[in-house]
């Protein structure tokens, strides 16, 4: 039997925009998702917008009461910036009371709330001023963070600033899956830099506040594997890791931006505008822990036809189609559990073995109703197998000394997924959109309970 360390966190992750619903009511102002859906509804799967999502705003009591039934002892979700501070300055009292009840209900059910501040949901009022392109966004975010710490710091002891900052950068400014959906490498780097500084300033606010607890950041990790050991392929791998992995891990954990990344950006005319005090702020405000969302590796090779200076990341590294890959056909993502061991060792050896946890891991599958049994339960054995395989490699990493303190599955109750709407389902519970958002436990929920009860499998 595989046993995990004592007090291991077993839980799930989600976010405010993907679960709450009530997206344009109860005092909340619009985010880029609300406005983009109005502008381009055709981009969204089946016309499913951010309006109602999984209705947690009304159903949180039932949801939290069900968490122990699948063995969860912790849950990560986020606060909606546009709900808490609709104009960026004034508190929305309805939001304060909603979140206070929500978090208190978690505590009453012995669920540790891990609360994140930004999950791709840029308030529209700030987007109209340029969003993360505008340097004022840094202090606007720090003010929001300070407000959240003041309002909920007595209930929440584990905080994170951003979920997967790379995603709003690359999807918004390179690959067109998030608003403003433009293609501009230089702007992407500037947006990334302001995001980093917003994180750093939120950590500063946390340290200046008197609340006890810890603060971290949630990063998506796609460890790069090169096609071969040739010099060119290894150079591509290095560029991929610098841009995507070390870009946030180094400054947030070690307090410095990697010199090689600074050189790479300079060499490609991508250096962002910076303030003279930034270096010191970065050095002074490192995190207490890291959350890593792992879904798939990144296979890379040297670019076949690159431009210099680079116009796109593909001028620095190209994706490589590994012939032996195993794919989740619904999401199109490679399934490679072995990477979790490599990630664990990276955290041990490159990041002074800082405490970290798997903050998201999961498998999105379309049309899951096909697998519904007579009892109404979805038999998602594939998801159980997916989790087992990943946990085996994670466990190997822990045995080798990596300081991992938990595993969160994406997600708890099926939720809305950006442009993909409700196409791929990830939950331990299904949600019936035609029947008052009725939740029904899946077989993976039963398995997760056993896993958590035994602290292993
Ligand atoms: C992560 C995000 C989540 C979630 C998940 C599943 O990158 O943090 O918000 O959506 O991926 O991916 P998707 O919903 O795109 O299938």
């Amino acid at each position: 039997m595989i046993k995990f360390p004592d007090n291991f966190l077993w839980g799930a992750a989600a976010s405010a925009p993907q679960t709450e619903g009530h997206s344009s009511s109860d005092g909340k102002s619009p985010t880029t998702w609300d406005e983009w859906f109005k502008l381009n509804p055709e981009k969204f799967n089946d016309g499913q917008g951010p309006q109602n999502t999984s209705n947690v705003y009304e159903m949180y009591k039932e949801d939290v009461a069900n968490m122990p039934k699948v063995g969860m002892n912790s849950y990560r979700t986020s606060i909606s910036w546009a709900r808490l501070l609709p104009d960026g300055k004034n508190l929305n009292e309805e939001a304060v009371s909603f979140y206070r009840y929500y978090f208190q209900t978690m505590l009453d059910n012995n669920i540790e709330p891990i609360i994140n501040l930004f999950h791709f949901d840029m308030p529209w009022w700030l987007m109209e001023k340029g969003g993360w392109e505008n340097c004022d966004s840094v202090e606007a975010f720090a003010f929001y963070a300070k407000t959240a710490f003041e309002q909920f710091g007595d209930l929440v002891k584990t905080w994170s600033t951003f979920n997967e900052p790379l995603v709003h950068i690359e999807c918004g400014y390179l690959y067109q899956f998030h608003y403003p959906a433009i293609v501009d490498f230089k702007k992407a780097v500037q947006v990334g830099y302001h995001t980093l500084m917003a994180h750093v300033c939120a950590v500063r606010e946390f340290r200046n506040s008197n609340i006890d607890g810890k603060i971290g950041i949630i990063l998506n990790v796609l460890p790069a594997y090169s096609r071969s050991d040739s010099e060119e392929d290894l150079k591509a791998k290095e560029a991929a890791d610098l841009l995507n992995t070390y870009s946030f891990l180094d400054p947030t954990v070690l307090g410095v931006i990697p010199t090689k990344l600074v050189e790479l950006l300079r060499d490609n005319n991508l250096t962002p505008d910076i303030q003279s005090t930034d270096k010191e702020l970065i050095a002074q405000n490192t995190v207490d822990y890291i959350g890593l969302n792992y879904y798939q590796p990144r296979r890379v090779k040297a670019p076949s036809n690159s431009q210099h200076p680079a116009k796109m990341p593909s001028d620095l590294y190209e994706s490589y189609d590994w012939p032996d890959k195993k794919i989740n056909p619904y999401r199109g993502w490679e399934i490679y559990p072995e990477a979790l061991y490599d990630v664990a060792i990276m955290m041990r050896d490159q990041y002074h073995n800082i405490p970290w946890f798997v903050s998201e891991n999961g498998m999105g599958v379309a049309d899951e109703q096909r697998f519904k049994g007579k009892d109404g339960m979805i038999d998602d054995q594939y998801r159980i197998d997916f989790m087992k395989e990943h946990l085996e490699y994670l466990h190997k990493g822990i045995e080798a000394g990596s300081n991992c303190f938990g595993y969160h599955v994406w997600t708890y109750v099926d939720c809305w997924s950006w442009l993909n709407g409700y196409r791929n389902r990830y939950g331990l519970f299904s949600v019936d959109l035609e029947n008052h958002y009725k939740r029904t436990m899946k077989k993976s929920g039963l398995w997760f309970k056993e896993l958590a009860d035994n602290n292993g499998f």
Side-chain angles (χ1 to χ4, degrees):
M1 178 161 181
I2 292 181
K3 275 275 180 198
F4 284 83
D6 291 345
N7 304 316
F8 206 65
L9 291 188
W10 295 108
S15 74
Q18 292 175 275
T19 60
E20 282 176 7
H22 283 229
S23 183
S24 44
S25 54
D26 307 280
K28 182 179 161 293
S29 68
T31 65
T32 48
W33 294 98
D34 299 305
E35 292 297 319
W36 203 19
F37 183 63
K38 270 196 231 157
L39 291 169
N40 292 107
E42 73 287 352
K43 284 191 185 290
F44 291 70
N45 174 66
D46 261 354
Q48 291 161 331
Q51 178 68 33
N52 298 317
T53 59
S54 294
N55 200 22
V56 163
Y57 199 84
E58 290 175 39
M59 298 176 76
Y60 72 90
K61 278 191 195 141
E62 174 188 334
D63 280 342
V64 175
N66 279 336
M67 287 177 184
K69 293 185 190 158
V70 290
M72 287 163 57
N73 58 19
S74 46
Y75 184 56
R76 173 170 67 97
T77 187
S78 65
I79 294 172
S80 159
W81 185 357
R83 191 184 293 289
L84 189 67
L85 294 171
D87 62 358
K89 295 190 183 92
N90 295 295
L91 257 188
N92 171 11
E93 291 299 342
E94 275 186 69
V96 174
S97 101
F98 164 65
Y99 288 117
R100 287 199 66 83
Y101 278 122
Y102 191 8
F103 303 155
Q104 185 60 55
T105 310
M106 289 188 212
L107 296 173
D108 294 345
N109 283 274
N110 297 319
I111 302 295
E112 180 184 340
I114 298 178
I115 301 304
N116 178 48
L117 294 171
F118 188 90
H119 199 121
F120 314 158
D121 51 347
M122 170 61 76
W124 187 250
W125 63 264
L126 183 51
M127 191 70 234
E128 283 184 309
K129 296 179 186 169
W132 297 117
E133 279 179 58
N134 182 340
C135 62
D136 293 345
S137 60
V138 173
E139 285 304 329
F141 184 76
F143 176 75
Y144 157 53
K146 178 172 178 279
T147 310
F149 303 146
E150 283 164 2
Q151 295 301 319
F152 313 115
D154 57 330
L155 303 175
V156 176
K157 299 297 164 204
T158 309
W159 290 92
S160 62
T161 54
F162 282 84
N163 176 77
E164 302 188 347
L166 263 168
V167 170
H168 69 250
I169 300 163
E170 61 180 19
C171 290
Y173 296 84
L174 291 171
Y175 305 128
Q176 297 176 287
F177 296 117
H178 287 199
Y179 194 84
I182 57 174
V183 184
D184 189 325
F185 204 174
K186 176 112 176 131
K187 276 190 184 167
V189 173
Q190 188 67 62
V191 160
Y193 187 74
H194 285 151
T195 302
L196 172 67
M197 291 316 297
H199 156 84
V200 161
C201 291
V203 175
R204 177 198 69 201
E205 294 304 324
F206 186 78
R207 304 284 180 229
N208 290 342
S209 73
N210 285 324
I211 57 171
D212 59 332
K214 50 190 183 182
I215 190 155
I217 186 166
I218 309 290
L219 303 172
N220 50 323
V221 65
L222 290 84
Y225 296 94
S226 61
R227 172 181 56 182
S228 75
D229 285 343
S230 73
E231 201 185 311
E232 296 75 20
D233 283 349
L234 288 177
K235 199 173 155 214
K237 171 187 151 46
E238 182 178 65
D241 278 334
L242 281 170
L243 281 172
N244 301 296
T245 306
Y246 310 148
S247 52
F248 276 90
L249 264 177
D250 279 30
T252 59
V253 178
L254 307 176
V256 280
I257 297 176
T259 312
K260 283 188 173 170
L261 177 60
V262 173
E263 287 166 3
L264 180 81
L265 295 177
R266 191 184 301 134
D267 185 41
N268 287 284
N269 299 338
L270 294 167
T271 304
D273 296 335
I274 61 171
Q275 306 292 319
S276 56
T277 48
D278 289 354
K279 207 172 169 185
E280 206 181 329
L281 274 171
I282 294 171
Q284 284 166 351
N285 293 288
T286 54
V287 293
D288 302 315
Y289 77 91
I290 286 286
L292 294 176
N293 297 349
Y294 174 69
Y295 292 90
Q296 55 169 337
R298 187 188 305 275
R299 306 268 170 203
V300 296
K301 61 179 180 188
S304 28
N305 198 359
S306 65
Q307 303 190 51
H308 185 85
K311 289 273 169 291
M312 286 294 277
S314 55
D315 290 319
L316 302 166
Y317 58 89
E318 236 171 54
S319 23
Y320 164 60
D321 191 12
W322 186 41
D324 296 336
K325 67 187 180 296
K326 184 174 144 198
I327 281 276
N328 166 4
Y330 309 100
R331 194 61 184 85
W333 287 348
E334 183 183 339
I335 300 179
Y336 188 67
E338 290 87 338
L340 263 188
Y341 174 80
D342 296 336
V343 164
I345 299 306
M346 171 184 78
M347 295 310 283
R348 185 192 71 184
D349 295 348
Q350 283 174 244
Y351 296 99
H352 59 66
N353 216 6
I354 187 172
W356 69 283
F357 79 121
V358 177
S359 39
E360 282 181 31
N361 180 231
M363 190 181 177
V365 173
D367 301 323
E368 279 201 310
Q369 293 305 319
R370 297 173 275 166
F371 306 114
K372 206 171 183 173
K374 287 202 183 75
D375 52 1
M377 187 177 260
I378 289 169
D379 184 348
D380 54 346
Q381 186 59 41
Y382 42 85
R383 182 165 290 116
I384 298 172
D385 295 341
F386 179 98
M387 289 190 279
K388 273 187 179 166
E389 285 172 358
H390 284 80
L391 283 166
E392 274 172 27
Y393 282 97
L394 176 64
H395 188 261
K396 282 194 182 136
I398 295 173
E399 292 274 275
S402 188
N403 198 359
C404 174
F405 62 84
Y407 175 84
H408 275 192
V409 62
W410 184 272
T411 185
Y412 170 45
V413 172
D414 284 347
C415 67
W416 179 78
S417 166
W418 323 109
L419 296 185
N420 280 333
Y422 278 90
R423 181 165 48 217
N424 299 313
R425 307 294 183 105
Y426 286 83
L428 300 176
F429 276 81
S430 63
V431 70
D432 186 347
L433 299 174
E434 263 77 63
N435 186 13
H436 310 287
Y437 303 96
K438 186 169 178 277
R439 283 66 160 128
T440 308
M441 197 192 290
K442 299 181 196 171
K443 190 172 159 195
S444 56
L446 285 178
W447 182 80
F448 204 79
K449 167 94 172 101
E450 226 178 283
L451 166 75
D453 286 354
N454 295 321
N455 202 30
F457 64 97

